[in-house]
Amino acid sequence: MTMSPKPFQEESDALNRKVGLGLSKIGQAIRSQAWKGAGSQGLTPTQGQVLAVLAGIQADQPGLRLAAVAEALGITRPTASEAVGTLVRKGLVAKGPDPKDSRAVALQLTAEGRRQAAEASLWPDFLLAAVDDLEVAEQQVFYRALMKMIRNLQQRGQIPVSQMCVTCRYFRPGVHDDPLRPHHCAFVDAAFGEKELRLDCSDHVAAEPPLQELNWSRFLESAVTPQNDP
Ligand code: SF4
């Protein structure tokens, strides 16, 4: 058998495709688990996701408008409206007046909706076992890579914008000498490390685009230092 002079060249050229294929397989597993989890509760995955979004607001806080739910999930308003209508009929979601505008409707979970949302939020847990198998250093490199991908997809408008540290006006990347806690959150005035970077922070305030760009380049320049659990 004749060996090619560069037998692995073609393989390495296709690394981006392999990463994409690997992510696609993980996506299939997530969808399959979501179907199982939702099916066991008599919900569609979209209905389960609506429950999960509404579960993110406290019971004593104003509810979310339909448009905000659709935006959070990256789905159209008619699709969100259909899912919400079913959840209202099932007694899992209640409609009430929006305190900011009495003509608008705000959505809240009922007590039963909160219970089912807690179950729905457990669906991704099957991934934790697989992630736990990675070394801490691998998890941190993976997390940073995920943030890059999420930011890229957000900028292309392909997924909803989430409240990440890297787009927050309070984020100060790489300003501390401590390699374990190089970043700073000006909101709580505290240093923090890679593993504390948030993907969905309720205190997030979007920075102006020039500051986001500046912070992003400083974040990329800051080194990743593996942190062991205390
Ligand atoms: S307020 Fe939240 S999102 Fe903003 S930097 Fe602090 S922890 Fe990150």
Side-chain angles (χ1 to χ4, degrees):
M1 187 173 124
T2 312
M3 229 12 201
S4 149
K6 293 182 180 173
F8 293 109
Q9 183 66 46
E10 212 174 291
E11 293 283 303
S12 96
D13 284 348
L15 183 58
N16 58 349
R17 290 180 186 279
K18 288 181 189 168
V19 171
L21 185 61
L23 287 172
S24 152
K25 288 189 179 300
I26 292 173
Q28 279 171 7
I30 292 172
R31 280 196 296 279
S32 150
Q33 287 289 321
W35 273 109
K36 282 184 199 158
S40 68
Q41 292 174 273
L43 304 174
T44 65
T46 304
Q47 290 161 8
Q49 287 174 321
V50 171
L51 288 188
V53 166
L54 292 177
I57 52 175
Q58 301 295 322
D60 58 352
Q61 286 181 341
L64 282 186
R65 292 193 195 178
L66 183 69
V69 172
E71 188 183 337
L73 294 177
I75 58 179
T76 63
R77 283 196 204 189
T79 301
S81 175
E82 193 180 325
V84 166
T86 305
L87 292 169
V88 169
R89 283 194 295 280
K90 286 174 181 272
L92 303 178
V93 170
K95 290 181 175 177
D98 185 340
K100 293 181 198 152
D101 179 355
S102 57
R103 291 164 304 174
V105 170
L107 304 168
Q108 281 274 17
L109 291 181
T110 62
E112 177 59 16
R114 287 209 167 271
R115 193 188 66 73
Q116 292 213 18
E119 284 183 32
S121 69
L122 297 178
W123 297 344
D125 277 8
F126 78 99
L127 282 177
L128 290 182
V131 176
D132 278 349
D133 250 10
L134 301 176
E135 302 289 337
V136 172
E138 289 174 325
Q139 290 185 18
Q140 290 190 14
V141 172
F142 191 31
Y143 189 36
R144 191 171 257 242
L146 279 177
M147 272 185 286
K148 286 187 187 178
M149 290 189 65
I150 291 169
R151 182 175 178 273
N152 182 301
L153 291 169
Q154 286 179 356
Q155 287 185 325
R156 292 163 182 255
Q158 290 167 330
I159 59 171
V161 173
S162 67
Q163 299 172 307
M164 303 194 294
C165 285
V166 293
T167 59
C168 179
R169 68 187 292 183
Y170 299 116
F171 185 45
R172 311 282 187 268
V175 294
H176 295 292
D177 290 334
D178 181 351
L180 294 182
R181 289 175 187 76
H183 311 309
H184 193 88
C185 170
F187 183 78
V188 292
D189 194 20
F192 66 102
E194 289 283 316
K195 67 180 182 182
E196 282 95 31
L197 283 162
R198 309 278 289 271
L199 281 179
D200 208 358
C201 172
S202 57
D203 299 317
H204 173 278
V205 178
E208 292 296 317
L211 179 58
Q212 283 197 24
E213 286 304 317
L214 182 65
N215 277 347
W216 182 247
S217 55
R218 286 178 176 163
F219 172 68
L220 294 181
E221 284 164 11
S222 63
V224 181
T225 302
Q227 293 170 282
N228 292 317
D229 287 327

